[in-house]
Amino acid sequence: MFKKWVRRVSLSTTRGFVESSPTHDKPQDSYGGGIDVAGTTTPKPSSSATAIKTKTVAEVDETGSSKVPSSRSSSYDNGIDYDALYEEEEEMDLSMEAHGSMITHLLSQVKIGMDLTKVVLPTFILERRSLLEMYADYFAHPDLFIKISELDDPRDRIVQVCRWYLSAYHAGRKSAVAKKPYNPILGEVFQCHWDIPGETQNEPEVKDGPVPWCRRDQLTFLAEQVSHHPPISAFYAEHYNKKITFTAHVWTKSKFLGLSIGVHNIGEGVVTLVDRSEEYIVTFPNGYGRSILTVPWIELGGSVEIKCPQTGYYANVEFLTKPFYGGKRNKVTAEIYSPNDKKPFVSIAGEWSGLMEAKWHDKNKTEVFVDVNRIPIFKKQVRPIVEQDEYESRRVWKEVTAGLKFNDIERATNAKFVVEQQQRDQAKVRKEYDLAWEHKHFKPVGDNWIYTKPLSQRMYLQEKEAKR
C-alpha cells in the first residue's frame, strides 16, 4: 500500500499539475521566480474560489501505469469564455496612486539593492498572461525572422538578424503602463504558432516538431519553465520549410532600486540556419520598472551582443535608459561589423518602440532600417484551453486571468494561491522522498538549456535513415 501511494505522489509531483481548493490557512510565503506577485494578505477559501475546478490525481495501478482522467475543463465555463480573456486588450488605467496604502506597506519591507525573489507584490499589478507567453512576442514579426534564412550574402544575413531582433521588443509591451506577467510554475508549458502570408495550407504536419499539430509552412513556438530556483525559462521556435530555428534560455534576477525595480536577464539565444550550419548568438537587455509609486512604465537598458562564429560578422547593441532630466524613452543604437573590421559598416539609431534609421558608412547613405509602428504584428495562434494539457499556461492561470479581467482581486488572489500552494506541496513531497523533477522538452547542457529534439538533429537522423 505504501509503495502504491509513493507512485501516486511521484506521478503528481514530477509530471501532473493538480488543481484543488485552498486547504491551508497558514501565512502565504512567496513562490515565484524573479518578483513574486501574490496578494498582500493571506487568501482564504471564499465564494470566489468556487469557480476553480477540482481534479483528481491520475489513478495509478499496482504496476505503476496511470489512468489519466478523461474530463477536462471547458474553454467556456461559468458563463466565461476563457480563451477570449487572453485575446482581449487589457485596460490601461492602472495607477499605483489608487493603491497607495498597499504600495507604502510594500516599500516598508524592502531596502535598496535587495533581491526581490521572496518579496510579495499585490495581485492587481499582474498582466493577464504568463511570462512564457510573453516570450512568444519575440516572433510578433515572423516574416522578419524567417527572411534571415532566405538571404545568400552573410552580410545581409547579419543585418536581417539585427532587424528582426530590434523589432522584437515592442510587441511585448502593449502599453506605456508596466504590468508583470505571471511567474511560470515549474514544468509549465506554452505552445503557439504563426501563419505566414503567402504560404500554402496543404503542407503536411510536423509530427515530431515542437507543436505536432502544426504544418511545415508555419512558425512554431514552445516554452517551458525548467527551473524554479533560480527561475529559468527555456523556449524554442522553428520553421520547418525555411530550415531556421531559435533556442534560448533566460534566468531573471530582480532587485529593488529605490523608485524602480530592475530585472537582470541572464542567458542567451541562438538563431540556427540548419542548411548553412550557421549560428547567430544573441544576449538580452535588462528591464526596469520605473515610477512604481505613480504610474509605472517599463524601459530596457544595457549592452547586447549579436555574433556569428562561422562568418565572423557581429553587432553591438545598446539599449539606452532615459536620463533623469530630459531625454526620450526607448532609445537604442547598434553597430554592425564585418569580420576583423574595427569600424562598423552600418550604424543604427532610434527607438525600439518606433522608428530606427540606418546610416551606411560605405555608401554614405541614411535610410529607414525598420519602423515597428508601420509593419504588421502577426497574431499568434493558440489552441483552445479545452484542448490544452494540465501544465499549459493558459489552462494553469485561467482563473487568475478571469479574476483580473473582471476586477475581482479576491478571486484572482485565491486562484493564484491554489496554483502556488500546489507547487509548494509537490516540492515538499519531492524533497521528502528524494524524487527528481522530470523536464519535458529541454535538457541542461553546461550552463545552457537545449531543446531535446531540434530540427537540425531530426533532419540528420532522417538523412541517415534515408541512406540505409
mmCIF file of all heavy atoms in Angstrom, residues 203-247:
data_model
loop_
_atom_site.group_PDB
_atom_site.id
_atom_site.type_symbol
_atom_site.label_atom_id
_atom_site.label_comp_id
_atom_site.label_asym_id
_atom_site.label_seq_id
_atom_site.Cartn_x
_atom_site.Cartn_y
_atom_site.Cartn_z
ATOM 1 N N GLU A 203 0.473 21.779 -46.703
ATOM 2 C CA GLU A 203 1.707 21.142 -46.257
ATOM 3 C C GLU A 203 1.396 20.101 -45.178
ATOM 4 O O GLU A 203 0.456 20.255 -44.398
ATOM 5 C CB GLU A 203 2.669 22.188 -45.700
ATOM 6 C CG GLU A 203 3.252 23.125 -46.738
ATOM 7 C CD GLU A 203 4.380 22.474 -47.526
ATOM 8 O OE1 GLU A 203 4.977 21.515 -47.011
ATOM 9 O OE2 GLU A 203 4.648 22.923 -48.655
ATOM 10 N N PRO A 204 2.203 19.041 -45.086
ATOM 11 C CA PRO A 204 1.987 18.042 -44.025
ATOM 12 C C PRO A 204 2.350 18.590 -42.652
ATOM 13 O O PRO A 204 3.098 19.562 -42.526
ATOM 14 C CB PRO A 204 2.926 16.898 -44.429
ATOM 15 C CG PRO A 204 3.995 17.551 -45.254
ATOM 16 C CD PRO A 204 3.315 18.674 -45.987
ATOM 17 N N GLU A 205 1.804 17.964 -41.636
ATOM 18 C CA GLU A 205 2.120 18.339 -40.255
ATOM 19 C C GLU A 205 3.505 17.825 -39.878
ATOM 20 O O GLU A 205 3.988 16.833 -40.421
ATOM 21 C CB GLU A 205 1.069 17.771 -39.303
ATOM 22 C CG GLU A 205 -0.314 18.365 -39.493
ATOM 23 C CD GLU A 205 -1.334 17.744 -38.556
ATOM 24 O OE1 GLU A 205 -1.038 16.660 -37.994
ATOM 25 O OE2 GLU A 205 -2.429 18.316 -38.388
ATOM 26 N N VAL A 206 4.137 18.534 -38.929
ATOM 27 C CA VAL A 206 5.448 18.122 -38.429
ATOM 28 C C VAL A 206 5.205 17.371 -37.116
ATOM 29 O O VAL A 206 5.240 17.954 -36.030
ATOM 30 C CB VAL A 206 6.376 19.342 -38.218
ATOM 31 C CG1 VAL A 206 7.789 18.871 -37.855
ATOM 32 C CG2 VAL A 206 6.420 20.212 -39.460
ATOM 33 N N LYS A 207 4.928 16.092 -37.234
ATOM 34 C CA LYS A 207 4.514 15.289 -36.079
ATOM 35 C C LYS A 207 5.575 15.224 -34.985
ATOM 36 O O LYS A 207 5.250 15.098 -33.802
ATOM 37 C CB LYS A 207 4.162 13.869 -36.528
ATOM 38 C CG LYS A 207 2.957 13.784 -37.461
ATOM 39 C CD LYS A 207 1.668 14.153 -36.764
ATOM 40 C CE LYS A 207 0.463 13.884 -37.665
ATOM 41 N NZ LYS A 207 -0.817 14.246 -36.977
ATOM 42 N N ASP A 208 6.858 15.296 -35.382
ATOM 43 C CA ASP A 208 7.925 15.213 -34.390
ATOM 44 C C ASP A 208 8.459 16.590 -34.012
ATOM 45 O O ASP A 208 9.506 16.712 -33.381
ATOM 46 C CB ASP A 208 9.071 14.336 -34.897
ATOM 47 C CG ASP A 208 9.660 14.846 -36.209
ATOM 48 O OD1 ASP A 208 9.086 15.785 -36.801
ATOM 49 O OD2 ASP A 208 10.697 14.317 -36.645
ATOM 50 N N GLY A 209 7.737 17.649 -34.386
ATOM 51 C CA GLY A 209 8.168 19.015 -34.089
ATOM 52 C C GLY A 209 7.703 19.496 -32.733
ATOM 53 O O GLY A 209 7.016 18.771 -31.993
ATOM 54 N N PRO A 210 8.032 20.727 -32.373
ATOM 55 C CA PRO A 210 7.680 21.253 -31.059
ATOM 56 C C PRO A 210 6.178 21.435 -30.849
ATOM 57 O O PRO A 210 5.696 21.367 -29.723
ATOM 58 C CB PRO A 210 8.405 22.605 -31.023
ATOM 59 C CG PRO A 210 8.616 22.960 -32.460
ATOM 60 C CD PRO A 210 8.820 21.674 -33.176
ATOM 61 N N VAL A 211 5.430 21.670 -31.946
ATOM 62 C CA VAL A 211 3.967 21.773 -31.871
ATOM 63 C C VAL A 211 3.425 20.799 -32.917
ATOM 64 O O VAL A 211 3.239 21.159 -34.083
ATOM 65 C CB VAL A 211 3.488 23.215 -32.147
ATOM 66 C CG1 VAL A 211 1.974 23.327 -31.913
ATOM 67 C CG2 VAL A 211 4.230 24.215 -31.256
ATOM 68 N N PRO A 212 3.183 19.551 -32.545
ATOM 69 C CA PRO A 212 2.977 18.461 -33.514
ATOM 70 C C PRO A 212 1.727 18.569 -34.373
ATOM 71 O O PRO A 212 1.600 17.812 -35.335
ATOM 72 C CB PRO A 212 2.940 17.204 -32.625
ATOM 73 C CG PRO A 212 2.612 17.700 -31.257
ATOM 74 C CD PRO A 212 3.213 19.069 -31.151
ATOM 75 N N TRP A 213 0.802 19.486 -34.067
ATOM 76 C CA TRP A 213 -0.386 19.640 -34.902
ATOM 77 C C TRP A 213 -0.201 20.751 -35.946
ATOM 78 O O TRP A 213 -1.130 21.100 -36.664
ATOM 79 C CB TRP A 213 -1.619 19.931 -34.044
ATOM 80 C CG TRP A 213 -1.463 21.108 -33.135
ATOM 81 C CD1 TRP A 213 -1.713 22.429 -33.413
ATOM 82 C CD2 TRP A 213 -1.032 21.066 -31.775
ATOM 83 N NE1 TRP A 213 -1.452 23.209 -32.314
ATOM 84 C CE2 TRP A 213 -1.038 22.394 -31.293
ATOM 85 C CE3 TRP A 213 -0.649 20.032 -30.913
ATOM 86 C CZ2 TRP A 213 -0.661 22.717 -29.982
ATOM 87 C CZ3 TRP A 213 -0.278 20.370 -29.613
ATOM 88 C CH2 TRP A 213 -0.288 21.689 -29.170
ATOM 89 N N CYS A 214 1.016 21.310 -36.039
ATOM 90 C CA CYS A 214 1.273 22.403 -36.968
ATOM 91 C C CYS A 214 1.949 21.903 -38.247
ATOM 92 O O CYS A 214 2.600 20.862 -38.263
ATOM 93 C CB CYS A 214 2.132 23.470 -36.310
ATOM 94 S SG CYS A 214 1.226 24.420 -35.065
ATOM 95 N N ARG A 215 1.809 22.709 -39.308
ATOM 96 C CA ARG A 215 2.317 22.326 -40.618
ATOM 97 C C ARG A 215 3.757 22.817 -40.824
ATOM 98 O O ARG A 215 4.259 23.659 -40.073
ATOM 99 C CB ARG A 215 1.433 22.910 -41.724
ATOM 100 C CG ARG A 215 -0.047 22.539 -41.623
ATOM 101 C CD ARG A 215 -0.794 23.017 -42.863
ATOM 102 N NE ARG A 215 -0.543 24.424 -43.158
ATOM 103 C CZ ARG A 215 -1.267 25.438 -42.680
ATOM 104 N NH1 ARG A 215 -2.294 25.195 -41.873
ATOM 105 N NH2 ARG A 215 -0.978 26.680 -43.017
ATOM 106 N N ARG A 216 4.354 22.326 -41.906
ATOM 107 C CA ARG A 216 5.728 22.681 -42.231
ATOM 108 C C ARG A 216 5.883 24.157 -42.611
ATOM 109 O O ARG A 216 6.976 24.704 -42.528
ATOM 110 C CB ARG A 216 6.234 21.818 -43.387
ATOM 111 C CG ARG A 216 6.430 20.351 -43.032
ATOM 112 C CD ARG A 216 7.000 19.596 -44.220
ATOM 113 N NE ARG A 216 7.319 18.202 -43.878
ATOM 114 C CZ ARG A 216 7.956 17.372 -44.690
ATOM 115 N NH1 ARG A 216 8.309 17.785 -45.904
ATOM 116 N NH2 ARG A 216 8.204 16.133 -44.308
ATOM 117 N N ASP A 217 4.797 24.788 -43.061
ATOM 118 C CA ASP A 217 4.885 26.175 -43.504
ATOM 119 C C ASP A 217 4.497 27.164 -42.408
ATOM 120 O O ASP A 217 4.295 28.344 -42.680
ATOM 121 C CB ASP A 217 3.998 26.397 -44.735
ATOM 122 C CG ASP A 217 2.529 26.081 -44.453
ATOM 123 O OD1 ASP A 217 2.242 25.450 -43.412
ATOM 124 O OD2 ASP A 217 1.674 26.456 -45.277
ATOM 125 N N GLN A 218 4.396 26.706 -41.157
ATOM 126 C CA GLN A 218 4.061 27.577 -40.030
ATOM 127 C C GLN A 218 5.256 27.714 -39.093
ATOM 128 O O GLN A 218 6.054 26.788 -38.949
ATOM 129 C CB GLN A 218 2.860 27.010 -39.252
ATOM 130 C CG GLN A 218 1.570 26.988 -40.066
ATOM 131 C CD GLN A 218 0.453 26.236 -39.365
ATOM 132 O OE1 GLN A 218 0.677 25.193 -38.745
ATOM 133 N NE2 GLN A 218 -0.766 26.750 -39.482
ATOM 134 N N LEU A 219 5.360 28.873 -38.478
ATOM 135 C CA LEU A 219 6.390 29.083 -37.458
ATOM 136 C C LEU A 219 5.824 28.630 -36.124
ATOM 137 O O LEU A 219 4.762 29.102 -35.702
ATOM 138 C CB LEU A 219 6.789 30.552 -37.392
ATOM 139 C CG LEU A 219 7.850 30.913 -36.334
ATOM 140 C CD1 LEU A 219 9.174 30.224 -36.663
ATOM 141 C CD2 LEU A 219 8.034 32.423 -36.245
ATOM 142 N N THR A 220 6.507 27.705 -35.463
ATOM 143 C CA THR A 220 6.012 27.135 -34.216
ATOM 144 C C THR A 220 6.880 27.563 -33.033
ATOM 145 O O THR A 220 8.067 27.845 -33.196
ATOM 146 C CB THR A 220 5.969 25.600 -34.294
ATOM 147 O OG1 THR A 220 7.273 25.111 -34.666
ATOM 148 C CG2 THR A 220 4.960 25.147 -35.331
ATOM 149 N N PHE A 221 6.264 27.574 -31.847
ATOM 150 C CA PHE A 221 6.946 28.068 -30.640
ATOM 151 C C PHE A 221 6.570 27.191 -29.455
ATOM 152 O O PHE A 221 5.405 26.823 -29.271
ATOM 153 C CB PHE A 221 6.526 29.512 -30.374
ATOM 154 C CG PHE A 221 7.096 30.100 -29.094
ATOM 155 C CD1 PHE A 221 8.326 30.745 -29.093
ATOM 156 C CD2 PHE A 221 6.396 30.006 -27.897
ATOM 157 C CE1 PHE A 221 8.849 31.291 -27.928
ATOM 158 C CE2 PHE A 221 6.916 30.546 -26.719
ATOM 159 C CZ PHE A 221 8.143 31.188 -26.745
ATOM 160 N N LEU A 222 7.578 26.869 -28.642
ATOM 161 C CA LEU A 222 7.379 26.059 -27.441
ATOM 162 C C LEU A 222 8.247 26.616 -26.321
ATOM 163 O O LEU A 222 9.440 26.842 -26.507
ATOM 164 C CB LEU A 222 7.764 24.602 -27.719
ATOM 165 C CG LEU A 222 7.840 23.645 -26.527
ATOM 166 C CD1 LEU A 222 6.454 23.446 -25.917
ATOM 167 C CD2 LEU A 222 8.439 22.310 -26.937
ATOM 168 N N ALA A 223 7.648 26.847 -25.153
ATOM 169 C CA ALA A 223 8.385 27.348 -23.983
ATOM 170 C C ALA A 223 8.088 26.470 -22.780
ATOM 171 O O ALA A 223 6.988 25.935 -22.643
ATOM 172 C CB ALA A 223 8.012 28.793 -23.682
ATOM 173 N N GLU A 224 9.084 26.329 -21.906
ATOM 174 C CA GLU A 224 8.921 25.531 -20.691
ATOM 175 C C GLU A 224 9.669 26.201 -19.547
ATOM 176 O O GLU A 224 10.777 26.714 -19.735
ATOM 177 C CB GLU A 224 9.467 24.112 -20.892
ATOM 178 C CG GLU A 224 9.357 23.224 -19.647
ATOM 179 C CD GLU A 224 9.954 21.841 -19.846
ATOM 180 O OE1 GLU A 224 10.359 21.513 -20.985
ATOM 181 O OE2 GLU A 224 10.036 21.082 -18.855
ATOM 182 N N GLN A 225 9.070 26.208 -18.362
ATOM 183 C CA GLN A 225 9.763 26.674 -17.167
ATOM 184 C C GLN A 225 10.574 25.500 -16.633
ATOM 185 O O GLN A 225 10.020 24.537 -16.100
ATOM 186 C CB GLN A 225 8.768 27.180 -16.116
ATOM 187 C CG GLN A 225 9.421 27.911 -14.951
ATOM 188 C CD GLN A 225 10.005 29.262 -15.356
ATOM 189 O OE1 GLN A 225 9.809 29.723 -16.476
ATOM 190 N NE2 GLN A 225 10.710 29.905 -14.449
ATOM 191 N N VAL A 226 11.887 25.569 -16.792
ATOM 192 C CA VAL A 226 12.738 24.423 -16.491
ATOM 193 C C VAL A 226 13.327 24.466 -15.086
ATOM 194 O O VAL A 226 13.859 23.466 -14.608
ATOM 195 C CB VAL A 226 13.872 24.304 -17.528
ATOM 196 C CG1 VAL A 226 13.295 23.990 -18.908
ATOM 197 C CG2 VAL A 226 14.722 25.570 -17.570
ATOM 198 N N SER A 227 13.248 25.627 -14.423
ATOM 199 C CA SER A 227 13.776 25.731 -13.068
ATOM 200 C C SER A 227 12.977 26.770 -12.300
ATOM 201 O O SER A 227 12.515 27.766 -12.876
ATOM 202 C CB SER A 227 15.260 26.129 -13.093
ATOM 203 O OG SER A 227 15.760 26.366 -11.780
ATOM 204 N N HIS A 228 12.815 26.513 -11.012
ATOM 205 C CA HIS A 228 12.092 27.467 -10.176
ATOM 206 C C HIS A 228 13.037 28.324 -9.338
ATOM 207 O O HIS A 228 12.848 29.514 -9.168
ATOM 208 C CB HIS A 228 11.105 26.740 -9.271
ATOM 209 C CG HIS A 228 10.256 27.679 -8.469
ATOM 210 N ND1 HIS A 228 9.331 28.522 -9.059
ATOM 211 C CD2 HIS A 228 10.215 27.941 -7.144
ATOM 212 C CE1 HIS A 228 8.760 29.259 -8.113
ATOM 213 N NE2 HIS A 228 9.268 28.922 -6.954
ATOM 214 N N HIS A 229 14.037 27.701 -8.772
ATOM 215 C CA HIS A 229 15.077 28.415 -8.013
ATOM 216 C C HIS A 229 16.429 27.983 -8.553
ATOM 217 O O HIS A 229 16.878 26.884 -8.243
ATOM 218 C CB HIS A 229 14.978 28.097 -6.513
ATOM 219 C CG HIS A 229 13.767 28.673 -5.848
ATOM 220 N ND1 HIS A 229 13.508 30.023 -5.778
ATOM 221 C CD2 HIS A 229 12.728 28.064 -5.223
ATOM 222 C CE1 HIS A 229 12.378 30.214 -5.137
ATOM 223 N NE2 HIS A 229 11.875 29.038 -4.790
ATOM 224 N N PRO A 230 17.086 28.800 -9.391
ATOM 225 C CA PRO A 230 16.651 30.108 -9.872
ATOM 226 C C PRO A 230 15.581 29.976 -10.950
ATOM 227 O O PRO A 230 15.459 28.914 -11.575
ATOM 228 C CB PRO A 230 17.944 30.694 -10.458
ATOM 229 C CG PRO A 230 18.695 29.500 -10.949
ATOM 230 C CD PRO A 230 18.416 28.421 -9.936
ATOM 231 N N PRO A 231 14.823 31.050 -11.179
ATOM 232 C CA PRO A 231 13.770 30.983 -12.195
ATOM 233 C C PRO A 231 14.349 31.024 -13.605
ATOM 234 O O PRO A 231 14.891 32.040 -14.039
ATOM 235 C CB PRO A 231 12.927 32.228 -11.902
ATOM 236 C CG PRO A 231 13.886 33.185 -11.257
ATOM 237 C CD PRO A 231 14.845 32.339 -10.471
ATOM 238 N N ILE A 232 14.248 29.915 -14.339
ATOM 239 C CA ILE A 232 14.800 29.838 -15.691
ATOM 240 C C ILE A 232 13.713 29.375 -16.658
ATOM 241 O O ILE A 232 13.048 28.364 -16.415
ATOM 242 C CB ILE A 232 15.991 28.865 -15.764
ATOM 243 C CG1 ILE A 232 17.102 29.284 -14.798
ATOM 244 C CG2 ILE A 232 16.540 28.798 -17.197
ATOM 245 C CD1 ILE A 232 18.266 28.303 -14.744
ATOM 246 N N SER A 233 13.546 30.125 -17.728
ATOM 247 C CA SER A 233 12.624 29.754 -18.801
ATOM 248 C C SER A 233 13.439 29.378 -20.031
ATOM 249 O O SER A 233 14.442 30.021 -20.335
ATOM 250 C CB SER A 233 11.691 30.918 -19.150
ATOM 251 O OG SER A 233 11.010 31.401 -18.012
ATOM 252 N N ALA A 234 13.003 28.346 -20.738
ATOM 253 C CA ALA A 234 13.648 27.944 -21.993
ATOM 254 C C ALA A 234 12.588 27.957 -23.086
ATOM 255 O O ALA A 234 11.431 27.590 -22.842
ATOM 256 C CB ALA A 234 14.270 26.558 -21.870
ATOM 257 N N PHE A 235 12.967 28.383 -24.289
ATOM 258 C CA PHE A 235 11.998 28.366 -25.383
ATOM 259 C C PHE A 235 12.681 28.085 -26.711
ATOM 260 O O PHE A 235 13.891 28.281 -26.870
ATOM 261 C CB PHE A 235 11.162 29.648 -25.442
ATOM 262 C CG PHE A 235 11.926 30.947 -25.422
ATOM 263 C CD1 PHE A 235 12.189 31.639 -26.604
ATOM 264 C CD2 PHE A 235 12.346 31.504 -24.225
ATOM 265 C CE1 PHE A 235 12.871 32.842 -26.586
ATOM 266 C CE2 PHE A 235 13.026 32.713 -24.200
ATOM 267 C CZ PHE A 235 13.289 33.393 -25.388
ATOM 268 N N TYR A 236 11.867 27.603 -27.657
ATOM 269 C CA TYR A 236 12.380 27.141 -28.943
ATOM 270 C C TYR A 236 11.353 27.456 -30.017
ATOM 271 O O TYR A 236 10.142 27.312 -29.811
ATOM 272 C CB TYR A 236 12.624 25.633 -28.882
ATOM 273 C CG TYR A 236 13.002 24.985 -30.200
ATOM 274 C CD1 TYR A 236 14.322 24.978 -30.643
ATOM 275 C CD2 TYR A 236 12.036 24.376 -30.996
ATOM 276 C CE1 TYR A 236 14.671 24.373 -31.845
ATOM 277 C CE2 TYR A 236 12.375 23.766 -32.197
ATOM 278 C CZ TYR A 236 13.692 23.774 -32.617
ATOM 279 O OH TYR A 236 14.039 23.183 -33.810
ATOM 280 N N ALA A 237 11.824 27.905 -31.185
ATOM 281 C CA ALA A 237 10.948 28.178 -32.323
ATOM 282 C C ALA A 237 11.593 27.594 -33.573
ATOM 283 O O ALA A 237 12.818 27.559 -33.683
ATOM 284 C CB ALA A 237 10.723 29.680 -32.487
ATOM 285 N N GLU A 238 10.753 27.166 -34.523
ATOM 286 C CA GLU A 238 11.293 26.664 -35.781
ATOM 287 C C GLU A 238 10.305 26.852 -36.919
ATOM 288 O O GLU A 238 9.081 26.869 -36.719
ATOM 289 C CB GLU A 238 11.686 25.184 -35.677
ATOM 290 C CG GLU A 238 10.526 24.214 -35.708
ATOM 291 C CD GLU A 238 10.970 22.753 -35.823
ATOM 292 O OE1 GLU A 238 11.975 22.378 -35.190
ATOM 293 O OE2 GLU A 238 10.272 21.984 -36.538
ATOM 294 N N HIS A 239 10.845 27.017 -38.119
ATOM 295 C CA HIS A 239 10.065 26.965 -39.347
ATOM 296 C C HIS A 239 10.678 25.851 -40.173
ATOM 297 O O HIS A 239 11.811 25.973 -40.655
ATOM 298 C CB HIS A 239 10.112 28.304 -40.083
ATOM 299 C CG HIS A 239 9.108 28.407 -41.191
ATOM 300 N ND1 HIS A 239 9.205 27.681 -42.351
ATOM 301 C CD2 HIS A 239 7.961 29.147 -41.307
ATOM 302 C CE1 HIS A 239 8.184 27.966 -43.149
ATOM 303 N NE2 HIS A 239 7.410 28.855 -42.534
ATOM 304 N N TYR A 240 9.946 24.785 -40.340
ATOM 305 C CA TYR A 240 10.495 23.576 -40.963
ATOM 306 C C TYR A 240 10.930 23.832 -42.403
ATOM 307 O O TYR A 240 12.053 23.483 -42.803
ATOM 308 C CB TYR A 240 9.454 22.452 -40.911
ATOM 309 C CG TYR A 240 9.967 21.131 -41.427
ATOM 310 C CD1 TYR A 240 10.487 20.186 -40.554
ATOM 311 C CD2 TYR A 240 9.938 20.828 -42.794
ATOM 312 C CE1 TYR A 240 10.963 18.969 -41.026
ATOM 313 C CE2 TYR A 240 10.410 19.628 -43.273
ATOM 314 C CZ TYR A 240 10.929 18.695 -42.387
ATOM 315 O OH TYR A 240 11.408 17.494 -42.861
ATOM 316 N N ASN A 241 10.071 24.459 -43.191
ATOM 317 C CA ASN A 241 10.387 24.650 -44.607
ATOM 318 C C ASN A 241 11.574 25.581 -44.820
ATOM 319 O O ASN A 241 12.367 25.389 -45.752
ATOM 320 C CB ASN A 241 9.174 25.194 -45.353
ATOM 321 C CG ASN A 241 8.171 24.099 -45.684
ATOM 322 O OD1 ASN A 241 8.443 22.914 -45.471
ATOM 323 N ND2 ASN A 241 7.011 24.486 -46.190
ATOM 324 N N LYS A 242 11.703 26.604 -43.980
ATOM 325 C CA LYS A 242 12.792 27.576 -44.137
ATOM 326 C C LYS A 242 14.067 27.108 -43.437
ATOM 327 O O LYS A 242 15.116 27.758 -43.542
ATOM 328 C CB LYS A 242 12.375 28.940 -43.580
ATOM 329 C CG LYS A 242 11.159 29.541 -44.277
ATOM 330 C CD LYS A 242 11.419 29.820 -45.744
ATOM 331 C CE LYS A 242 10.223 30.500 -46.390
ATOM 332 N NZ LYS A 242 10.451 30.791 -47.821
ATOM 333 N N LYS A 243 13.980 26.010 -42.707
ATOM 334 C CA LYS A 243 15.141 25.428 -42.020
ATOM 335 C C LYS A 243 15.832 26.441 -41.104
ATOM 336 O O LYS A 243 17.047 26.587 -41.105
ATOM 337 C CB LYS A 243 16.145 24.880 -43.044
ATOM 338 C CG LYS A 243 15.553 23.817 -43.966
ATOM 339 C CD LYS A 243 15.086 22.609 -43.192
ATOM 340 C CE LYS A 243 14.575 21.492 -44.102
ATOM 341 N NZ LYS A 243 13.280 21.789 -44.731
ATOM 342 N N ILE A 244 15.016 27.139 -40.299
ATOM 343 C CA ILE A 244 15.547 28.115 -39.348
ATOM 344 C C ILE A 244 14.942 27.852 -37.977
ATOM 345 O O ILE A 244 13.754 27.525 -37.859
ATOM 346 C CB ILE A 244 15.258 29.564 -39.803
ATOM 347 C CG1 ILE A 244 15.906 30.578 -38.830
ATOM 348 C CG2 ILE A 244 13.768 29.821 -39.958
ATOM 349 C CD1 ILE A 244 15.818 32.015 -39.315
ATOM 350 N N THR A 245 15.765 27.958 -36.924
ATOM 351 C CA THR A 245 15.296 27.738 -35.555
ATOM 352 C C THR A 245 15.864 28.801 -34.627
ATOM 353 O O THR A 245 16.824 29.500 -34.954
ATOM 354 C CB THR A 245 15.727 26.351 -35.029
ATOM 355 O OG1 THR A 245 17.148 26.336 -34.820
ATOM 356 C CG2 THR A 245 15.342 25.250 -35.991
ATOM 357 N N PHE A 246 15.252 28.910 -33.458
ATOM 358 C CA PHE A 246 15.768 29.776 -32.403
ATOM 359 C C PHE A 246 15.562 29.065 -31.082
ATOM 360 O O PHE A 246 14.452 28.612 -30.777
ATOM 361 C CB PHE A 246 15.050 31.120 -32.388
ATOM 362 C CG PHE A 246 15.572 32.080 -31.339
ATOM 363 C CD1 PHE A 246 16.780 32.733 -31.528
ATOM 364 C CD2 PHE A 246 14.868 32.325 -30.170
ATOM 365 C CE1 PHE A 246 17.276 33.617 -30.581
ATOM 366 C CE2 PHE A 246 15.353 33.212 -29.217
ATOM 367 C CZ PHE A 246 16.555 33.854 -29.424
ATOM 368 N N THR A 247 16.619 28.947 -30.296
ATOM 369 C CA THR A 247 16.509 28.354 -28.966
ATOM 370 C C THR A 247 17.142 29.301 -27.955
ATOM 371 O O THR A 247 18.144 29.962 -28.248
ATOM 372 C CB THR A 247 17.183 26.966 -28.901
ATOM 373 O OG1 THR A 247 16.951 26.381 -27.617
ATOM 374 C CG2 THR A 247 18.674 27.053 -29.153
#
